Amino acid sequence: MASGKKQQQETELHGGVLSGNGSPALWGTLIGLIVFAFVAVPISAAVRFATHPMTQQLFGGRLSEATQGGYVAFWWIVAVFLLALPFLVGWGVAKLSGKTLAIIAAVVGLFFVVTLVMGQLFVF
């Protein structure tokens, strides 16, 4: 009886995310939280740039000549992408297949193209 109880306690200690039989969803959540910790400051900076119109003067040169709407739209797009990044990375880690990696690469590429187009469209 005592050996059965000891064996049950050992199996309970070996479960979870960091063990060999961890759930992919838990791994995705853990990696997503880590990525969120890394992008929390850039997210707040992007939202700050989008909501405060006087920050446009911080960027000298050509960006200071951009329209107000273009400047705000650019920073909101950056903020939304940075906010979506932890979910995207967590989902990619949870699925971890070639198709998932292709979808992630397509989303990042599409974001990059949209950001470039928005930057060229509103900067005159």
Side-chain angles (χ1 to χ4, degrees), residues 77-92:
I77 289 172
V78 169
V80 167
F81 178 73
L82 287 173
L83 192 60
L85 191 63
F87 296 103
L88 189 63
V89 170
W91 178 68

Side-chain angles (χ1 to χ4, degrees), residues 14-26:
H14 292 293
V17 174
L18 298 177
S19 69
N21 59 355
S23 167
L26 290 176

Side-chain angles (χ1 to χ4, degrees), residues 42-102:
I43 289 171
S44 67
V47 170
R48 200 170 339 141
F49 289 150
T51 56
H52 197 279
M54 297 306 290
T55 58
Q56 188 172 359
Q57 296 174 355
L58 293 174
F59 303 99
R62 189 170 171 159
L63 190 57
S64 65
E65 299 170 1
T67 63
Q68 183 83 24
Y71 178 79
V72 170
F74 173 79
W75 283 112
W76 275 117
I77 289 172
V78 169
V80 167
F81 178 73
L82 287 173
L83 192 60
L85 191 63
F87 296 103
L88 189 63
V89 170
W91 178 68
V93 167
K95 296 294 180 181
L96 208 56
S97 69
K99 184 178 177 182
T100 303
L101 294 176

